[in-house]
Amino acid sequence: MTLATQQSGIRVRGLTKSYRDLEVLRGIDLDVVPGSIVALLGSNGAGKTTLVKILATLLVADSGVAEVNGFNTASESAQVRASISLTGQFAAVDEILTGRENLTLVARLRHVADPAGVADELLTRFSLLEAAGRRVATYSGGMRRRLDIAMSMIGNPPVAFLDEPTTGLDPQSRTEVWDCIRELAGAGTTVLLTTQYLDEAEQLADRIAILHQGRIIVTGTLAELTRLMPPTRIEYVEKRPTLEEIFLALVGDAHPTHDPRGADSTGAD
Amino acid sequence: MSTYLADSAALLGRSLRHVARSPDTIITTAVMPIAFMLLFVYVFGGAIDSGTDSYVAYLLPGILIITIASGVSYTAFRLFNDVKSGIFERFQSMPIARSSVLWAHVLTSLVANLVAVAVVLLVAVTMGFRSPAGPLAWLMVGAILILFTLALTWIAVIPGLTATSVEGASAFSYPLILLPFVSSAFVPTETMPGPVRAFAEHQPVTSIVNTIRDLLNAEPVGSGLVVALAWCVGVLALAVLAAGATYRRRFR
Ligand SMILES: Nc1ncnc2c1ncn2[C@@H]1O[C@H](COP(=O)(O)OP(=O)(O)OP(=O)(O)O)[C@@H](O)[C@H]1O
Ligand SMILES: [Mg+2]
C-alpha cells in the first residue's frame, strides 16, 4: 500500500533483455515521476520498443526490476495492465470495424460507465466524427493513428506509454496529439513516450532519457542536457544548441546502434 | 468472473461482426462440401455401392465433417490477422483475461461453422435427404458436431498464433479435409486394401461418421457413440493444451 504511493510512476533498475545472442537492453535504470512526461530518445534498433513492451507486460525481461504504478511487471502483471495504456509503434486498430465500434469495444473492455458516450466524445476530440461510421480499412494513416491514440486514452489509466506516437502524422495532427499528451500529463497521468523527433522531446518532455547501446546514457531536463555540451562547441555556436546536436554529440558515432553489440565490448556475445 | 464473461462477450461480438461483414467466409466454407456432395451423388454415386438406398444420407455425415474441417481455417486466418495487425497485442496489454481473446475466436468459429453446417443440411434436404431420427438423436448429432468443431478450432488456434503468412495460417486444414476420404465417409472401408483399411477403421473420422450416420438413420449406436465422443473430447483436450503452450511460448 505504502509501496504503491511511494513508488508510483515508473521505476526501472538493471533491466536486461536479449533476443537470442543479440543483447538489446544491458542494464536500464530509469525513473519517471508520477504526472510527468519523460521522452525516451534512441536511434533505430536502440531498444525503445523492447523497453516499452517489457513495461507493458508484453515481454519478460531477462533480469532486473521494472515497476509501473508501484506494481512489478513480472509478478503483478495483471495490476500493471490495469494501470497502463499502450499506444504501440504501429496503429493497432480493427480494420473491419468502424471507428466508433473500435472505441466502443475498448470502452466496454475498460468497463467505463457509458461506452457510447465516451466513443462520441473521443471521436469529436480527435476530429474523427465524420468518418466514425466508416470501416477503419478506409481510413488514412493519420486517421488510424488518431483513432489508435484515442483508443488508448479510454479509461484514464494512471500511466501511459506511447511508442513513437506522431510518426507519420501531418503537422496539424501532430499538434493535436501533443495537446492530448500535455492534457494527459496535466490530469496527472505519468507519460513515457519514445520518439525519433527531437523537437517532440523538446516540446513535450519534462525530462529526456537517451537510450544508447543498451543503456540510458543520460537523463535530465533539456537545460541539464544542454549543459553537457562540450564548451568548445558552445563558444563557436551562437544560438542555443538544439537537442539534435546534443543527441549527436552524446551518441557520437555516425552509424549509431544498428547493432547494439557495436562499439561497447562489455558483455558482447 | 462477471467481468470475464462481459469481456468475452464484447470480444465475441467483435469477431462475430467480422464474420457478418464477410459472409463470403461462410459461403466458401459451404461451397466445397456442397460441390463434393453434388459430385458424389450425381456423378460417382451410380458407381459406388454403399449398401444403402439413399447415397445422400450415406455421405452426409462425411460432408458435414469436411464442412467443419474447412471452416475452422478461418479461425486461423482471423487470429493471424489479429496478431499481425497489433490488435492482439493491444488486448494483451489491457486488463482483460488473456484467454478470453482466444475463446472469443473459438466461439465465433462455432457459430460460423454451425451456420455453414445448416446451409449444407438444407442443400442435402433439397437433394432428397430425409431422416427418421427423433429430437434426441438430432441433439446427439449436434453435440458431436459441436465437440468436433471445438476440437478442430483449437487446433486452428496454433497456426493462427504462429504462422508467418496467411497461406501458412490456413494450410494446416488441408490434411483435415482429406481425412474423411480415407474413412467410411464415402465408401465402406471393407473395399479398401489392407493397410489403408486398417488406418481408415481406426482414425477418428470413421467412428464419428458411423455414429452420426446411425443416429440419423435412427439405428442403435452402441459403443460407437462412446468412441466418437472420446475422440472428440481427447483431441479437444490435447488441442487446448497445445494451443495454451504455443500461446505461452509465443507471448511471454
Ligand atoms: N522479436 C525479436 N526477435 C529478434 N530480435 C528482435 C525482436 N524484436 C526486436 N529485435 C531487435 O532488437 C533490437 C531493438 O529493437 P526495438 O524494436 O526495441 O528498437 P527500437 O528502438 O524501437 O527501434 P525503432 O526506432 O526502429 O522502432 C533491434 O536490433 C531489433 O532488430
Ligand atoms: Mg520501436
Side-chain angles (χ1 to χ4, degrees):
Chain A
M1 217 169 65
T2 47
L3 274 182
T5 45
Q6 281 170 0
Q7 307 182 342
S8 49
I10 302 167
R11 197 180 82 99
V12 180
R13 289 292 176 274
L15 206 69
T16 68
K17 175 73 188 175
S18 303
Y19 295 108
R20 301 224 166 76
D21 59 341
L22 178 66
E23 283 186 80
V24 178
L25 305 180
R26 302 167 161 201
I28 301 285
D29 296 323
L30 180 68
D31 287 288
V32 182
V33 174
S36 72
I37 303 179
V38 167
L40 186 64
L41 288 179
S43 342
N44 285 136
K48 303 180 294 295
T49 299
T50 303
L51 177 57
V52 167
K53 282 190 177 178
I54 292 171
L55 294 176
T57 78
L58 296 174
L59 281 177
V60 182
D62 298 332
S63 68
V65 185
E67 285 168 1
V68 174
N69 200 30
F71 300 111
N72 188 300
T73 52
S75 57
E76 298 168 302
S77 56
Q79 290 94 321
V80 171
R81 288 197 284 275
S83 312
I84 62 164
S85 77
L86 170 65
T87 307
Q89 184 165 1
F90 305 99
V93 292
D94 188 324
E95 303 231 320
I96 297 166
L97 300 185
T98 67
R100 177 177 278 115
E101 284 168 343
N102 267 284
L103 290 165
T104 317
L105 172 67
V106 173
R108 284 181 66 190
L109 292 173
R110 288 266 180 201
H111 309 125
V112 301
D114 173 21
V118 168
D120 274 331
E121 186 224 307
L122 285 166
L123 287 166
T124 314
R125 187 157 133 209
F126 283 84
S127 325
L128 288 167
L129 208 49
E130 262 169 58
R134 260 173 35 208
R135 289 195 200 181
V136 173
T138 67
Y139 282 23
S140 74
M143 291 162 77
R144 271 167 217 242
R145 195 52 169 167
R146 296 205 305 271
L147 176 64
D148 185 49
I149 294 173
M151 285 161 77
S152 301
M153 300 207 158
I154 297 170
N156 302 316
V159 179
F161 301 114
L162 298 113
D163 196 357
E164 302 195 24
T166 61
T167 302
L169 292 187
D170 61 27
Q172 194 201 333
S173 305
R174 173 190 286 201
T175 315
E176 281 172 22
V177 170
W178 283 359
D179 288 343
C180 260
I181 295 173
R182 286 195 194 99
E183 232 175 90
L184 273 180
T189 305
T190 308
V191 178
L192 177 64
L193 71 94
T194 78
T195 182
Q196 304 273 358
Y197 302 120
L198 303 164
D199 59 327
E200 183 161 292
E202 278 194 68
Q203 283 280 332
L204 286 178
D206 299 312
R207 292 175 74 80
I208 294 158
I210 296 181
L211 175 60
H212 184 60
Q213 294 186 340
R215 293 196 179 83
I216 304 283
I217 52 172
V218 58
T219 51
T221 61
L222 183 59
E224 285 165 358
L225 297 202
T226 309
R227 269 183 251 124
L228 291 176
M229 280 299 282
T232 47
R233 193 67 173 276
I234 294 171
E235 279 171 30
Y236 294 105
V237 180
E238 293 228 328
K239 63 180 171 58
R240 190 188 72 175
T242 65
L243 185 56
E244 181 158 4
E245 289 167 323
I246 303 169
F247 176 78
L248 291 176
L250 287 167
V251 165
D253 49 338
H255 289 285
T257 62
H258 281 301
D259 180 354
R261 285 171 294 191
D264 190 334
S265 62
T266 54
D269 293 9
Chain B
M1 191 63 208
S2 69
T3 65
Y4 182 81
L5 290 182
D7 294 347
S8 301
L11 291 166
L12 176 62
R14 158 187 183 253
S15 75
L16 283 176
R17 275 210 175 104
H18 284 204
V19 176
R21 281 177 198 175
S22 39
D24 51 306
T25 59
I26 291 198
I27 293 164
T28 51
T29 300
V31 158
M32 186 181 55
I34 290 171
F36 280 148
M37 193 155 61
L38 293 170
L39 204 63
F40 273 87
V41 171
Y42 296 124
V43 182
F44 309 140
I48 296 175
D49 180 12
S50 65
T52 55
D53 40 359
S54 167
Y55 188 52
V56 190
Y58 183 83
L59 63 78
L60 182 62
I63 294 292
L64 297 181
I65 295 297
I66 289 182
T67 308
I68 293 167
S70 71
V72 294
S73 65
Y74 283 106
T75 299
F77 172 73
R78 283 189 285 264
L79 198 50
F80 170 78
N81 279 339
D82 275 8
V83 172
K84 198 167 137 259
S85 74
I87 193 110
F88 195 77
E89 230 165 41
R90 176 186 283 284
F91 293 145
Q92 301 295 295
S93 76
M94 289 174 62
I96 52 182
R98 291 182 161 189
S99 63
S100 63
V101 179
L102 294 183
W103 269 109
H105 276 287
V106 171
L107 293 179
T108 300
S109 164
L110 192 58
V111 173
N113 277 295
L114 289 182
V115 173
V117 160
V119 170
V120 172
L121 269 177
L122 271 179
V123 174
V125 168
T126 62
M127 287 170 69
F129 167 70
R130 297 289 180 273
S131 165
L136 189 65
W138 274 106
L139 267 182
M140 286 205 274
V141 170
I144 294 174
L145 291 178
I146 285 172
L147 279 175
F148 185 71
T149 308
L150 288 176
L152 292 199
T153 303
W154 276 106
I155 293 177
V157 165
I158 297 168
L161 289 173
T162 54
T164 51
S165 69
V166 183
E167 293 77 18
S170 39
F172 81 100
S173 69
Y174 302 151
L176 294 181
I177 294 169
L178 290 178
L179 220 45
F181 289 97
V182 196
S183 80
S184 63
F186 298 103
V187 292
T189 53
E190 294 85 65
T191 60
M192 300 174 185
V196 180
R197 179 177 172 181
F199 173 78
E201 287 182 351
H202 294 96
Q203 63 125 322
V205 171
T206 294
S207 66
I208 293 168
V209 158
N210 288 347
T211 305
I212 295 178
R213 193 180 283 144
D214 289 343
L215 285 167
L216 291 181
N217 283 337
E219 282 166 13
V221 287
S223 65
L225 178 64
V226 178
V227 176
L229 287 177
W231 270 115
C232 290
V233 173
V235 173
L236 173 59
L238 279 180
V240 169
L241 286 178
T246 308
Y247 173 85
R248 281 186 297 278
R249 190 162 41 79
R250 181 94 166 62
F251 306 91
R252 77 174 295 153

